[in-house]
């Protein structure tokens, strides 16, 4: 059964559209379960009906015709109950509805299972048989498993199909694709995909500029690859057994297949660039092998795709066709790296859309720092088909609209204008203090990470930098930056803000922040080698960074040092020891060095409980609510699938942060928040109520949070905190705080919340 299941799933994965997914599924399930009929109803949410979408064993004409209400018939019953319905004689059940056009009167036994994707019933997969019998447990388990596996493929094919239809027609869309919030704001622009594409499916169509050059680039790539393989084949000939050599030769032969080359070249002549032509030629060839009955031949489909990927990677450096960067560019990709953002001229980049990750991914944080709207976690969209399309990015709701209708576009233009008005109004607050109505001062700092956001931070009225993420400068390079290079960057930042404080965090890589040149493979990177652990294991890297920071601080004295991912007291002792060593070395060299204040990021549950011991060792605390929320709620901050569970206003997180502030007070040490919670207007009220000293956030959020602080008394914030602590669910807390914002006349900020 497992083998059959795998085969069906593999075959379905190669289908190019929804109809193909469904027809393969019904055919294969009917065959493997040896039943008389198999069919799939899908829910049409617009009409509120189930529609028969594919059938094997029913009258073919009934497909697309039979429709029933979502509560109707045995299909409706399966959907309603969200569990299998297994009947000896379907017609005897009170919910049975007869559709003459299907010809199903011949059948008695019925087994229907729901097709569910992320809690949503997409449809029903059912089998029927003439005999009167109940399906056994193994058969039920098999169908349930198939339905669960199909759900993702059906959802993907449905979304992709919808987009493909849209792109192939002149139609404009009013419907959106839901992802998760990445960075607030609204952008209207043109989609740009960045190379290199690592998957063939992501390659877009692009008009070829010079057909002859493109063809030549393709042919020379294939020849070069063949040559390389042949050469290494000759080397292997002496080492490999004869069977392995035969496999190798088949691979080389497939690579040079006349058919494959001719069909790619034909597509180039039709006007597509080589990578796009290759994508279609490979898909066509692989499909032929996929359909073969013989197991050995079917497995060659994987070779064809592999060859395609090989050629693709090589081809991208040779193809002459480049993506144009339009004036209002929305960068879209499966995963977008900090380095890719750096490739786009900043004045042209208006939005970011990422298929993977959530609002806590570092690319989303960077988008917020830069004030660029972003949507994350859209899943498996046909990325390649979207290149060059118009798009609306709604960073507040986490949605995108591809090829929006004029009505949708106008509505978003209006919202963007309102947004600009609100920001302009808030600009007046720039020089006013962040002071509550009853005179309590909270310092507002900016989070930064690139030299380009210094200007933004200064313009926002930030009183300093509360979190400078030094890792961003490490992520856009091909190897570790040396002391001098780091010194230049840190010096610029410190000088730009002096005498205002700049809190620089030592290298915080690992987790979702891999360095391309420090290859670490871990099953569970968030629990693994990250933050201070890497720095302490590599004193040569850590000391270089500390020296660069201390040198940059000379004559300015506004550096504060922040240690990330502390989970053990000993880590702080070791880090402080290395800091003293770096300081002494500089003094010994006759250079000026002032020891900075040292703080700890409280972002692990263990740091909360160790706070009294930590307070004896450091000068201040900064709560990293992004990681703290992930570790307290056990929700991966980057996983779009569980993004709905990630909420800094969860009662457990509120209690945890309150505890940190309380313990820091007992240790007489100042405490701030530098996670995204600080820039969330609703959460800022709660933090004010707790008596926070400092909030550090993306510069764009500073005016909003200042408005909140200046609109409440600390007493009122305390009352709201007490009310929040009485509530049991995050949604209720957010709702209550949003109502308080509305009541205080700050309704315009509610949209900006999560
Ligand atoms: C945090 O974890 O809250 C934080 C500020 O650090 P980062 O988001 O860079 O992990
Ligand atoms: Mg963190």
């Amino acid at each position: 059964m497992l083998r059959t299941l795998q085969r069906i799933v593999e075959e379905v994965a190669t289908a190019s559209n929804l109809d193909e997914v469904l027809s393969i599924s019904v055919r294969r399930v009917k065959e493997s379960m040896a039943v008389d009929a198999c069919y799939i109803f899908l829910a049409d949410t617009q009409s509120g009906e189930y529609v028969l979408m594919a059938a094997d064993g029913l009258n073919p004409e009934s497909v697309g015709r039979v429709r029933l209400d979502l509560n109707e018939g045995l299909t409706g019953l399966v959907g309603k109950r969200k569990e299998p319905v297994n009947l000896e004689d379907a017609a005897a059940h009170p919910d049975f509805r007869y559709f003459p056009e299907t010809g199903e009167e011949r059948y008695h036994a019925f087994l229907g299972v729901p097709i569910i994707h992320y809690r949503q019933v997409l449809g029903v997969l059912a089998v029927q048989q003439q005999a009167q019998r109940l399906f056994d447990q193994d058969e039920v388990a098999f169908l349930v498993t198939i339905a669960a596996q199909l759900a993702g493929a059906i959802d993907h094919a449905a979304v992709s199909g919808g987009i493909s239809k849209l792109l192939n027609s002149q139609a404009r869309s009013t419907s959106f694709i839901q992802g998760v919030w990445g960075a607030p704001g609204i952008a209207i622009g043109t989609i740009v995909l960045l190379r290199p594409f690592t998957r063939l499916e992501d390659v877009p169509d692009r008009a070829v500029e010079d057909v002859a050059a493109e063809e030549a680039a393709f042919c020379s790539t294939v020849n070069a690859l063949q040559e390389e393989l042949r050469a290494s084949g000759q080397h292997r000939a002496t080492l490999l057994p004869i069977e392995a050599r035969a496999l190798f030769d088949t691979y080389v032969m497939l690579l040079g297949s006349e058919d494959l080359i001719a069909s790619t070249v034909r597509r180039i002549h039709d006007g597509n660039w080589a990578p796009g032509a290759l994508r279609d030629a490979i898909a066509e060839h692989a499909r032929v092998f996929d359909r073969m009955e013989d197991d050995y031949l079917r497995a060659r489909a994987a070779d064809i795709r592999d060859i395609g990927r090989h050629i693709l990677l090589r081809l991208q450096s040779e193809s002459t066709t480049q993506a144009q960067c339009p004036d209002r560019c929305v960068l879209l990709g499966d995963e977008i790296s900090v380095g890719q953002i750096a490739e786009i001229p900043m004045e042209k980049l208006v939005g970011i859309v990422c298929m993977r990750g959530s609002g806590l991914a570092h690319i989303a944080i960077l988008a917020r720092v830069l004030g660029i709207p972003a949507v994350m976690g859209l899943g498996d969209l046909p990325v390649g088909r979207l290149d060059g399309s118009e798009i609306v990015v709604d960073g507040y709701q986490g949605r995108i609209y591809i090829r929006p209708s004029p009505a949708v576009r106008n509505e978003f233009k209006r919202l963007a204008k309102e947004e600009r008005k609100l920001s302009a109004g808030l600009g007046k607050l720039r020089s006013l203090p962040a002071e509550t109505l009853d005179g309590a001062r909270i310092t507002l700092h900016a989070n930064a990470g690139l030299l380009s956001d210094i200007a933004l931070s200064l313009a926002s009225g930030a009183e300093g930098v509360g979190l400078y993420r030094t890792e961003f400068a490490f992520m856009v390079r091909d190897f570790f930056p040396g002391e001098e290079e780091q010194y230049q960057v840190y010096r610029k930042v410190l000088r730009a803000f002096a005498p205002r404080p700049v809190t620089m965090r030592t290298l915080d890589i690992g987790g979702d922040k891999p360095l391309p040149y420090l290859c670490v493979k871990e099953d569970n990177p968030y629990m693994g080698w990250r933050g201070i652990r890497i720095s302490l294991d590599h004193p040569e890297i850590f000391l270089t960074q500390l020296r660069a920071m201390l040198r940059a601080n000379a004559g300015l004295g506004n550096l504060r040092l922040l240690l990330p991912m502390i989970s053990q007291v000993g880590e702080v002792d070791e880090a402080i020891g290395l800091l003293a060593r770096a300081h002494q070395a500089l003094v010994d060299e006759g250079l000026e060095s002032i020891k900075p204040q040292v703080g700890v990021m409280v972002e692990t549950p263990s740091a909360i409980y160790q706070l009294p011991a930590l307070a004896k060792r450091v000068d201040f605390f900064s709560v990293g609510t992004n990681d703290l929320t992930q570790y307290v709620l056990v929700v991966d901050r980057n996983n779009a699938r569980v993004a709905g569970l990630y909420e800094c206003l969860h009662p457990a997180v509120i209690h945890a942060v309150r505890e940190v502030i309380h313990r820091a007070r007992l240790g007489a040490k100042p405490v701030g928040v530098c996670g995204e919670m600080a820039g969330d207007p609703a959460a800022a009220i709660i933090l004010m109520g707790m008596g926070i000293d400092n909030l550090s956030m993306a510069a764009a959020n500073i005016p909003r949070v200042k408005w909140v602080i200046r609109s409440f008394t600390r007493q009122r914030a305390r009352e709201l905190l007490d009310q929040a602590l009485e509530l049991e669910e995050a949604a209720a807390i957010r709702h209550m705080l949003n109502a308080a914002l509305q009541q205080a006349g700050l309704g315009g900020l509610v949209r900006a919340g999560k």
Side-chain angles (χ1 to χ4, degrees):
M1 274 299 193
L2 185 63
R3 177 77 201 102
T4 315
L5 206 131
Q6 266 171 354
R7 263 195 58 185
I8 300 178
V9 171
E10 274 166 22
E11 205 178 335
V12 162
T14 66
S16 54
N17 56 49
L18 182 60
D19 286 344
E20 218 179 303
V21 167
L22 301 178
S23 62
I24 294 173
S25 307
V26 291
R27 199 172 60 240
R28 294 293 184 210
V29 169
K30 176 172 171 268
E31 242 169 54
S32 39
M33 289 183 75
V35 288
D36 298 316
C38 175
Y39 51 87
I40 293 176
F41 276 93
L42 288 190
D44 176 351
T45 40
Q46 294 214 320
S47 65
E49 290 173 317
Y50 281 115
V51 184
L52 181 63
M53 296 292 290
D56 189 347
L58 300 184
N59 256 337
E61 291 81 52
S62 59
V63 173
R65 296 229 179 108
V66 176
R67 291 178 162 262
L68 39 116
D69 278 358
L70 293 181
N71 284 322
E72 215 184 340
L74 294 175
T75 300
L77 183 68
V78 175
K80 222 168 21 190
R81 290 186 20 187
K82 298 187 179 173
E83 60 179 353
V85 171
N86 185 359
L87 302 172
E88 217 174 326
D89 187 6
H93 193 279
D95 281 14
F96 176 76
R97 259 211 60 193
Y98 174 53
F99 293 95
E101 55 271 57
T102 61
E104 65 176 325
E105 64 276 13
R106 295 167 273 156
Y107 305 135
H108 293 283
F110 169 92
L111 173 61
V113 298
I115 304 170
I116 300 179
H117 190 59
Y118 290 135
R119 301 189 182 198
Q120 196 198 342
V121 179
L122 301 181
V124 171
L125 167 66
V127 292
Q128 289 209 274
Q129 207 158 24
Q130 281 191 18
Q132 275 203 16
R133 67 161 184 116
L134 276 179
F135 288 90
D136 68 30
Q137 289 306 310
D138 283 350
E139 287 170 313
V140 176
F142 177 77
L143 206 62
V144 166
T145 315
I146 284 278
Q149 296 271 1
L150 285 182
I154 288 177
D155 187 62
H156 177 206
V159 174
S160 311
I163 290 172
S164 305
K165 254 189 234 145
L166 182 69
L167 296 176
N168 292 336
S169 72
Q170 289 311 305
R172 296 254 147 194
S173 164
T174 51
S175 56
F176 56 81
I177 305 168
Q178 185 70 52
V180 294
W181 169 86
I186 286 157
I188 304 171
T190 306
I191 295 176
V192 169
L193 305 177
L194 279 186
R195 298 205 241 172
F197 303 105
T198 48
R199 303 185 318 168
L200 277 163
E201 325 62 289
D202 292 346
V203 172
D205 287 333
R206 263 180 205 158
V208 68
E209 286 153 9
D210 180 344
V211 171
E214 199 73 5
E215 180 183 346
F218 171 69
C219 293
S220 84
T221 301
V222 172
N223 286 341
L225 270 175
Q226 255 186 318
E227 276 312 306
E228 269 172 32
L229 281 173
R230 271 207 204 97
S232 67
Q234 273 160 11
H235 168 65
R236 266 167 241 214
T238 48
L239 307 171
L240 291 179
I242 192 136
E243 303 84 346
R245 252 186 282 155
L247 282 176
F248 197 74
D249 291 345
T250 312
Y251 194 87
V252 179
M253 192 193 73
L254 286 172
L255 173 63
S257 142
E258 287 291 326
D259 276 359
L260 184 64
I261 293 174
S263 79
T264 309
V265 169
R266 182 166 42 78
R267 287 176 162 92
I268 294 174
H269 284 216
D270 287 346
N272 207 351
W273 68 324
L278 175 73
R279 176 202 63 208
D280 291 346
I282 291 285
E284 186 185 80
H285 276 67
R287 221 169 292 140
V288 172
F289 282 97
D290 272 331
R291 296 211 176 100
M292 295 191 175
E293 280 304 316
D294 181 86
D295 278 353
Y296 174 80
L297 288 175
R298 212 176 31 251
R300 300 288 69 75
D303 286 344
I304 297 271
R305 291 194 181 92
D306 191 53
I307 284 169
R309 274 188 293 274
H310 247 82
I311 305 177
L312 175 70
L313 284 181
R314 179 72 81 91
L315 196 53
Q316 291 181 74
S317 52
E318 313 246 335
S319 168
T320 54
T321 308
Q322 297 291 338
Q324 299 296 327
C325 191
D327 278 347
R328 299 186 58 76
C329 154
V330 173
L331 204 53
L332 184 142
D334 202 41
E335 284 179 48
I336 296 175
S337 69
V338 175
Q340 281 177 312
I341 287 205
E343 279 179 36
I344 299 277
M346 271 306 145
E347 68 284 2
K348 292 190 170 186
L349 184 62
V350 297
I352 293 172
V353 177
C354 211
M355 299 305 119
R356 317 261 159 239
S358 73
L360 267 294
H362 278 85
I363 205 68
I365 292 181
L366 187 61
R368 287 200 284 283
V369 165
L370 297 173
I372 296 171
V375 171
M376 312 287 293
L378 287 148
D380 292 322
L381 292 188
V383 171
R385 317 274 332 238
L386 306 178
D387 195 39
S389 305
E390 190 186 18
I391 184 173
V392 168
V393 181
D394 179 351
Y396 294 115
Q397 310 287 329
R399 292 174 178 169
I400 58 168
Y401 296 74
I402 290 168
R403 293 187 60 162
S405 67
V408 168
R409 192 190 308 110
N410 289 341
E411 175 60 8
F412 278 97
K413 271 193 177 156
R414 187 186 65 73
L415 286 172
K417 203 163 136 196
E418 263 178 30
E419 172 75 16
R420 279 196 297 275
K421 254 202 271 171
L422 175 66
S423 300
L426 292 175
K428 295 186 198 114
L429 297 179
R430 191 183 174 283
S431 51
L432 298 176
E435 193 173 277
T436 61
L437 289 174
D438 47 357
R441 272 292 264 126
I442 295 172
T443 49
L444 293 187
H445 285 173
N447 289 352
L450 295 174
L451 286 178
S452 53
D453 46 69
I454 294 179
L456 274 173
S457 305
L458 286 168
S460 69
E463 297 165 80
V465 174
L467 172 63
Y468 187 80
R469 290 184 167 98
T470 56
E471 55 277 3
F472 284 157
F474 284 65
M475 286 158 88
V476 293
R477 305 179 84 270
D478 296 331
F479 45 86
F480 282 106
E483 181 182 319
E484 190 53 32
E485 197 179 328
Q486 290 187 53
Y487 162 78
Q488 296 293 348
V489 175
Y490 304 152
R491 181 80 185 165
K492 273 194 192 127
V493 181
L494 290 171
R495 205 159 31 200
F497 279 89
R500 287 167 282 186
V502 174
T503 309
M504 289 198 170
R505 180 170 71 183
T506 61
L507 193 58
D508 185 19
I509 46 172
D512 73 324
K513 291 176 279 190
L515 289 184
Y517 43 90
L518 188 71
C519 207
V520 186
K521 279 253 167 292
E522 289 177 301
D523 286 342
N524 201 345
Y526 283 116
M527 304 274 165
W529 203 46
R530 57 173 308 195
I532 196 75
R533 299 173 186 174
I534 298 185
S535 293
L536 295 179
D537 287 349
H538 278 283
E540 77 288 14
I541 295 169
F542 193 44
L543 282 168
T544 305
Q545 183 172 43
L546 293 175
R547 276 180 64 93
M549 285 178 174
L550 292 177
R551 278 180 52 209
N553 193 30
L556 297 172
N558 58 338
L559 168 71
R560 299 188 342 146
L561 204 81
L562 188 58
L563 305 172
M565 269 299 132
I566 295 294
S567 60
Q568 325 268 337
V569 168
E571 291 164 342
V572 177
D573 291 336
E574 250 190 281
I576 290 178
L578 287 166
L579 176 66
R581 203 171 116 186
H583 168 73
Q584 194 53 51
L586 289 174
V587 173
D588 291 347
E589 288 166 36
L591 297 169
E592 182 190 329
S593 172
I594 316 160
K595 266 205 201 154
Q597 286 200 345
V598 177
V600 153
M601 285 204 67
V602 183
E603 49 186 348
T604 64
S606 67
I608 304 178
Y609 297 107
Q610 296 253 281
L611 220 83
L614 294 170
K616 286 193 233 148
R617 290 164 166 82
V618 295
D619 305 299
F620 66 95
F621 291 103
S622 190
V623 192
T625 46
N626 303 343
D627 276 309
L628 190 60
T629 304
Q630 121 163 310
Y631 293 126
V632 168
L633 300 184
V634 198
V635 178
D636 177 344
R637 60 188 267 181
N638 245 332
N639 184 341
R641 230 175 254 172
V642 288
L645 297 175
Y646 187 99
E647 168 59 282
C648 65
L649 288 179
H650 188 290
V653 179
I654 295 178
H655 278 283
V657 176
R658 195 174 68 136
E659 198 54 37
V660 176
I661 295 175
H662 173 67
R663 287 174 188 228
R665 288 257 168 282
L666 291 180
K669 294 290 152 81
V671 58
V673 169
C674 65
E676 298 305 308
M677 184 179 191
D680 175 336
I685 305 177
I686 290 279
L687 297 171
M688 279 162 66
M690 292 178 190
I692 199 83
D693 301 305
N694 169 277
L695 294 174
S696 189
M697 64 203 76
N701 287 335
I702 289 183
R704 290 174 162 77
V705 171
K706 194 185 273 185
W707 194 22
V708 174
I709 293 171
R710 293 179 60 84
S711 305
F712 286 83
T713 58
R714 194 148 234 177
Q715 181 51 32
R716 173 76 179 131
R718 270 192 215 113
E719 285 162 17
L720 289 166
L721 169 64
D722 289 342
Q723 278 180 40
L725 291 169
E726 294 291 313
L727 297 171
E728 294 175 347
E729 301 224 49
I733 297 174
R734 192 164 281 284
H735 188 262
M736 185 272 289
L737 293 171
N738 280 346
L741 285 171
Q742 298 272 12
Q743 207 187 9
L746 277 58
L749 297 187
V750 170
R751 255 179 87 77
K754 200 180 160 193

